[in-house]
Amino acid sequence: RSFEIRKSYRLLLNIIMINNKNNKKTMEVHHIGPEWLSISRVGEILDKGMKLELGDEARRRITECREFLDRKMRDQKEPIYGITTGFGSLCNISIEPTQLAELQKNLVMSHSCSIGERVPRDIVKLMLLTKIQSLSYGNSGVQLATVERLVDFYNHDILPLVYQQGSLGASGDLAPLANLSLPLIGLGEVEFDGEVMPASKMLEMMEWEPITLQSKEGLALLNGTQFMSSYGVYCVLEARKLSRWADKIASLSIDAFDGRIEPFYPQIQEVRPHPGQKATGEAVMAWLEGSEIIKRHKAHVQDPYSFRCIPQVHGAAKDTLTYVGEVLETEINSVTDNPTIFPEDDLIVSAGNFHGEPIALPMDFLAVALSELSNISERRTYKLIAGVRELPSFLVAKPGVNSGFMIPQYAAASIVSQSKGLCWPASCDSIPSSQGQEDHVSMGSNAATKLFRVVDNTRRVLAIELFNAAQALEFRRPLRTSPALEAMVEAYRKRVPFIENDTVMYTLINESVEFIKTEEV
């Protein structure tokens, strides 16, 4: 009976969604088409829970490409890689026309070898979105019905179970994209309505038939960089926010440490005009506008590098982030499966757009940049607890009986060290596969998942700095920092109190992490 209720509920939801297509005021829709998909737009689609819809131009291109491929297969005698032949080193084996559908289904099944930790929900959503985008250009030869089913998965929040390990990042993200594609043909598992279930059960609940893959379709679904690029896009979106938080938290630390404002003067940035450095100087000056502490006389002539060189270090991270964002934005607006079909030129070309090197190198680079944001953050935390500049040792009024903020710095140092280890570039490695046919691979998938961990680590280290800086600020009272920073501290204090005596700290650190995750900056 429960199953029947759920089935009726899904049917009702389908009716609502159909009605919503005729009433755009009830939901925001992003139309998939030839228009450039920016990373900022991707963030907006996710944040607003927007639905997807194939535009007319995308539908036309997909349909015309499929019709061209069908004609080509009827007329051409020569083998076409992956369409009338096997894959990889089996490219010299011709496939009979009656076996083409079986070939594509077997490809998806045999390649579904992703293992390890589950890919997070938001990144699976991004994989669906970016795969739909790539197929929408009409160079992949897929059926319109296949792309429409992927859109249905996205819109109904049907998320295939995909795992983090298994891709070499070269012949596309074969293993994870195979797991993403299994539910199209009624295999694999999905998370649906908060429950993990077999894809076959989901199809029955939705009253959908499995897709019967036609020639080339399995290859189009599995070739591509959507696993790597989705991780990369997610990390860029998070890194943009963390970069802003780094400037804001560092500004609070400057006042808490009684630091100097002169290193942030525009004259300094103008004579070394890196865009990120200039932006950082401007941001810190803005955050400290109106601070009583920053204006008072300073007994010290200069600050340690972790304070004085914030524009240079944070700025370099910003410039890296800009570059990596541009590369990944190009990637998600590209056709990355193989072979590539050009109906207007009467061409089917087997090439290498699936190779992840163009994004593997930048993702390794971004991991280094974010690691440096956490590295310099931990150094500021260390200075805040050092018992200098009129601050008590470990930021408690009665050190000795209280350890105070001694160990949060240990935790930050441990996390920073882990990130440094994760910064060994995955893209330096290559292990040949497919009997040597695929003899150079990017390992971009490993670059992507490592970057994801560095993003999380950087957030935690910044949260620990905020934990310390807010505590240190109280020892400057009755002086006040800027109105903007006081407002942040007031909001922060609703979740993390001032520490007078030793207490359980990990819960407060976790609250600090959640504050950075959920608050706007």
Side-chain angles (χ1 to χ4, degrees), residues 13-26:
L13 183 58
N14 279 337
I15 294 171
I16 292 171
M17 291 191 67
I18 291 169
N19 288 337
N20 282 340
K21 286 183 179 181
N22 299 319
N23 182 8
K24 300 304 182 190
K25 293 182 180 179
T26 60

Side-chain angles (χ1 to χ4, degrees), residues 429-444:
D429 190 28
S430 176
I431 300 176
S433 58
S434 194
Q435 298 178 345
Q437 181 75 0
E438 297 163 11
D439 56 350
H440 181 275
V441 301
S442 76
M443 297 297 179

Side-chain angles (χ1 to χ4, degrees), residues 233-252:
V233 167
Y234 178 88
C235 290
V236 165
L237 288 167
E238 290 298 303
R240 288 175 177 175
K241 187 175 181 181
L242 291 178
S243 177
R244 297 192 295 271
W245 270 117
D247 290 346
K248 192 173 186 179
I249 293 168
S251 300
L252 183 64

Side-chain angles (χ1 to χ4, degrees), residues 146-361:
T146 302
V147 187
E148 287 177 329
R149 181 60 56 82
L150 289 172
V151 172
D152 287 335
F153 281 4
Y154 186 97
N155 288 341
H156 289 85
D157 214 28
I158 296 168
L159 302 179
L161 267 58
V162 185
Y163 302 92
Q164 292 186 14
Q165 295 175 307
S167 171
L168 297 176
S171 189
D173 288 311
L174 294 173
L177 289 178
N179 279 81
L180 185 79
S181 303
L182 279 173
L184 291 170
I185 58 176
L187 301 174
E189 296 175 288
V190 298
E191 183 180 333
F192 183 39
D193 281 349
E195 178 186 345
V196 172
M197 64 179 70
S200 57
K201 179 180 176 182
M202 174 273 297
L203 292 177
E204 186 177 354
M205 290 171 63
M206 298 298 291
E207 298 185 333
W208 292 341
E209 292 296 322
I211 297 291
T212 300
L213 297 178
Q214 302 300 310
S215 59
K216 172 67 167 68
E217 286 202 279
L219 204 55
L221 291 166
L222 272 55
N223 272 183
T225 60
Q226 286 76 39
F227 175 82
M228 290 177 277
S229 57
S230 294
Y231 264 96
V233 167
Y234 178 88
C235 290
V236 165
L237 288 167
E238 290 298 303
R240 288 175 177 175
K241 187 175 181 181
L242 291 178
S243 177
R244 297 192 295 271
W245 270 117
D247 290 346
K248 192 173 186 179
I249 293 168
S251 300
L252 183 64
S253 292
I254 290 166
D255 258 3
F257 193 61
D258 195 26
R260 303 187 68 101
I261 194 64
E262 290 86 350
F264 304 93
Y265 281 177
Q267 294 91 330
I268 293 294
Q269 325 317 330
E270 286 167 5
V271 297
R272 197 189 191 195
H274 293 292
Q277 179 175 330
K278 292 177 68 176
T280 303
E282 291 168 0
V284 173
M285 291 283 288
W287 287 124
L288 289 170
E289 179 68 31
S291 167
E292 297 172 0
I293 300 172
I294 204 70
K295 292 176 183 175
R296 77 173 187 164
H297 173 73
K298 309 296 179 184
H300 42 277
V301 176
Q302 62 176 212
D303 293 327
Y305 285 2
S306 57
F307 292 84
R308 194 177 359 144
C309 298
I310 288 169
Q312 292 74 25
V313 178
H314 287 207
K318 283 184 177 66
D319 290 338
T320 303
L321 181 54
T322 297
Y323 161 66
V324 177
E326 290 171 353
V327 173
L328 281 162
E329 197 163 283
T330 297
E331 188 72 4
I332 64 172
N333 287 277
S334 300
V335 177
T336 56
D337 63 295
N338 179 64
T340 312
I341 302 170
F342 302 93
E344 64 279 9
D345 298 315
D346 192 25
L347 277 176
I348 300 177
V349 181
S350 181
N353 274 0
F354 47 61
H355 202 291
E357 198 80 357
I359 58 174
L361 294 169

